[in-house]
Amino acid sequence: GRTPYQWDGTDNGGFCPAGVRSWLPVSADYLNGVNLAEQTARKNSVWNFYRNLLHLRRTTPALIEGDYQAFEMSENVLGFLRQSMTQSILVWLNFEGRARMGRVEAGLPSARRIFSSQEDGAEEQHRERVSLQPFEIWVGLAA
């Protein structure tokens, strides 16, 4: 639904001064971190996740102009390769609420993870299988 924009954690989410009643109600979640000021300040916020994902998309040649080759589209896991003249990117998407394994088909390159929706993962190199957490997005630069 529509609500006034929640700029910060002050009264009315910073949309209008304290004591003023907006014509649409301000959602109460502005007090719980759902406002621009808190989202931009937190490293693992939804705002920063999309900001980083868009930066990756805009600065990665294979994601801009690369050819698309799907290699797994089953059991709520999608895997694909984007390949340009200068680089190859492997992408895995787990659409399920439980951990899954993605299988890399023969002939596809191994990849080092460069982006993930999981904040605590270390950079990993994968050859035949990719371990995906629930609803994880995994992007790897092919070797």
Side-chain angles (χ1 to χ4, degrees):
R2 294 182 179 181
T3 64
Y5 197 81
Q6 299 166 182
W7 294 101
D8 54 37
T10 62
D11 288 340
N12 295 316
F15 180 77
C16 57
V20 174
R21 185 174 173 189
S22 62
W23 66 284
L24 286 174
V26 176
S27 179
D29 60 2
Y30 77 91
L31 294 170
N32 299 323
V34 183
N35 64 65
L36 182 64
E38 290 190 40
Q39 288 286 304
T40 56
R42 253 191 358 229
K43 179 185 171 193
N44 65 343
S45 69
V46 173
W47 187 86
N48 273 311
F49 170 77
Y50 280 103
R51 182 174 182 255
N52 294 334
L53 188 62
L54 288 169
H55 175 74
L56 179 70
R57 171 73 170 94
R58 291 178 182 137
T59 59
T60 307
L63 295 176
I64 296 169
E65 60 190 14
D67 294 331
Y68 171 86
Q69 175 190 352
F71 57 83
E72 182 168 328
M73 298 177 80
S74 62
E75 298 185 35
N76 297 320
V77 174
L78 169 64
F80 61 90
L81 175 71
R82 293 290 306 263
Q83 199 162 22
S84 71
M85 297 293 282
T86 58
Q87 73 180 177
S88 298
I89 297 288
L90 286 170
V91 178
W92 291 95
L93 306 164
N94 180 7
F95 295 104
E96 197 165 326
R98 64 184 175 102
R100 304 284 298 173
M101 291 298 289
R103 294 179 308 279
V104 177
E105 291 181 0
L108 290 176
S110 63
R112 177 182 52 86
R113 185 176 73 190
I114 58 172
F115 182 86
S116 173
S117 58
Q118 300 298 313
E119 62 184 277
D120 60 347
E123 286 195 11
E124 301 167 353
Q125 183 85 14
H126 290 283
R127 294 198 182 277
E128 297 171 2
R129 293 185 170 272
V130 176
S131 176
L132 300 166
Q133 295 304 309
F135 304 109
E136 182 176 4
I137 298 169
W138 188 98
V139 180
L141 179 62

